[in-house]
Amino acid sequence: MKNVLVVGAGGVGSAVAHKCAQNNDVLGDICIASRTVAKCERIVREIDERGNRKDPSAKLHAVPIDAMDDSAMTELIKDTNSSVVINVGSPFCNLSIMEACLRTGAHYLDTAVHEVEGRINEPAPWYANYEWKQRERFEAAKVTGILGIGFDPGAVNAFCAYVRKHLVPDIETIDIMDVNAGDHGRYFATNFDPETNLREIMEDVLYWENGEWVSIPCHSKSRTYDFPEVGTHRVFSMGHDELHSLAVNIPAKRIEFWMAFGEQYLTVFNVLHRLGLLSLDPVDVEGREVMPIKVVKAVLPEPASLASGYTGKTCIGCLVNGTRDGRSREVFIYNVCDHAACYAEIGSQAISYTTAVPAVTAARLIVEGQWNVGRLVNVEELDPDPFMALMPKLGLSWEVRES
Ligand code: NDP
């Protein structure tokens, strides 16, 4: 059981493809498929220029695909004889790619919850609106689907499961903390797909407290935290995918997600927002219907283009409070990743790199059997131990700081 189909050729798709190629002795042939085939072809060239194809005899190739078309996706999985599909295209494509996996028996991985064009502020938990409705079908077909296996969501969910299993069995609070202390030198840019990123920030913030979802306006609640290696940063409470499975799978009084934003980012974001340039409601531009957020996406730098010259580090982790054997315990479990080191290795910035490594780690664990569970799961439902052991070998270490 081998061969991987990577869908999406943006910043994350490129990093996933490099990491798959570095592990192609286990993963087999790698096909990179996306809307713009020239981007896939460029990734194939770059992998070979950097010598990142471990087994030169395994096939590495590029094809065009519209991943919204489930029939075309089904044919592509069959043509490439893929046993695992890593969906790192747009979150609008999750359901069509899942459908194609169910038809062909290929295992499914993604890194972001499904979204529908023109809709935000969907009811919580978000996974219940689309993905979890497919659980019975995955189980009947014995197909493994792992939802949200990037870094956050993804590695942080495994961190929570690991902490619960080994360090703090009775968890009271989980704070997922995300700071990008890097500098890409651009006036304003998003580190991953601008449309997904800006939609995420515009939504009302939902977090989990005392058995219910609490809603607050975006950027209305902040705190400071002293992160390992990157120092003290102001982080804001934000709505985020992983809360919508952790709240269901891990009993805790409060589960919240925090992300750091610089002053300049917030200023530009607020201006765009107040002008209506982030709106999902189409406007008439000289007789053509245009969604303002699509225009902003079109003029912003592509996330992959930020990688060259990016300096500084990211620090992402989980601050977990609770008790063990009746005694209070607080741990921060985290990864620190250096933008320039990622670029030197695979030509990516750290956000793409930290998303890709957990996804490819999971692909290997499916192919090797430890995570081939034959059902649709979120990461914290799986045994964290094989993941925590393998991820550092693929490029991302982790540490625990005890308070
Ligand atoms: P990019 O915008 O750089 O790339 C997206 C890619 O998907 C592009 O190549 C795009 O094609 C392709 N694509 C979009 N729609 C389709 C379609 N219908 N059919 C085929 N291909 C399509 O985004 P990123 O690489 O930065 O992010 C990719 C995903 O990773 C996003 O879903 C994002 O939310 C997720 N992510 C998850 C993180 C995590 O930690 N969990 C962190 C960061 C990102 P084209 O080039 O033609 O536009």
Side-chain angles (χ1 to χ4, degrees), residues 7-19:
V7 180
V12 180
S14 171
V16 165
H18 276 263
K19 284 288 160 187

Side-chain angles (χ1 to χ4, degrees), residues 139-190:
E139 193 144 11
K142 295 193 171 48
V143 169
T144 298
I146 304 179
L147 301 171
I149 180 67
F151 205 92
D152 48 340
V156 295
N157 302 57
F159 287 176
C160 292
Y162 180 87
V163 169
R164 188 178 184 209
K165 184 173 177 184
H166 296 290
L167 305 173
V168 188
D170 298 313
I171 293 179
E172 281 174 21
T173 61
I174 298 174
D175 291 291
I176 298 156
M177 315 285 266
D178 177 328
V179 60
N180 175 11
D183 181 7
H184 49 58
R186 308 295 181 93
Y187 177 69
F188 183 82
T190 63

Side-chain angles (χ1 to χ4, degrees), residues 12-33:
V12 180
S14 171
V16 165
H18 276 263
K19 284 288 160 187
C20 284
Q22 286 177 344
N23 288 272
N24 70 353
D25 52 333
V26 176
L27 296 176
D29 295 343
I30 314 295
C31 175
I32 308 160

Side-chain angles (χ1 to χ4, degrees), residues 128-143:
N129 297 319
Y130 304 103
E131 285 89 339
W132 287 349
K133 290 183 174 154
Q134 303 298 322
R135 281 199 284 212
E136 282 178 11
R137 292 181 69 203
F138 270 79
E139 193 144 11
K142 295 193 171 48
V143 169

Side-chain angles (χ1 to χ4, degrees), residues 7-14 33-37 39-40 65-69 87-94 110-113 115 148-154 178 191-197 200 240-242 297 302-304 316 349 351-352 354-356:
V7 180
V12 180
S14 171
S34 191
R35 198 164 44 190
T36 311
V37 72
K39 291 186 187 175
C40 308
I65 187 74
D66 175 5
M68 298 294 278
D69 180 342
N87 167 18
V88 281
S90 155
F92 301 138
C93 308
N94 290 11
D110 68 29
T111 65
V113 72
E115 295 193 34
I149 180 67
F151 205 92
D152 48 340
D178 177 328
N191 291 293
F192 64 93
D193 176 19
E195 193 173 354
T196 314
N197 189 199
E200 168 178 302
H240 226 243
D241 301 3
E242 52 271 51
K297 172 175 172 159
E302 293 204 5
I316 310 173
Q349 34 97 337
I351 307 297
S352 305
T354 53
T355 310

Side-chain angles (χ1 to χ4, degrees), residues 293-328:
I293 194 169
K294 301 258 183 210
V295 177
V296 173
K297 172 175 172 159
V299 297
L300 286 180
E302 293 204 5
S305 72
L306 304 174
S308 156
Y310 213 136
T311 55
K313 295 177 180 177
T314 61
C315 178
I316 310 173
C318 306
L319 181 65
V320 183
N321 271 280
T323 53
R324 181 183 187 145
D325 302 328
R327 290 175 53 192
S328 299

Side-chain angles (χ1 to χ4, degrees), residues 243-256:
L243 305 181
H244 295 259
S245 66
L246 290 172
V248 174
N249 292 321
I250 298 193
K253 279 192 192 137
R254 185 179 56 76
I255 309 180
E256 200 160 357

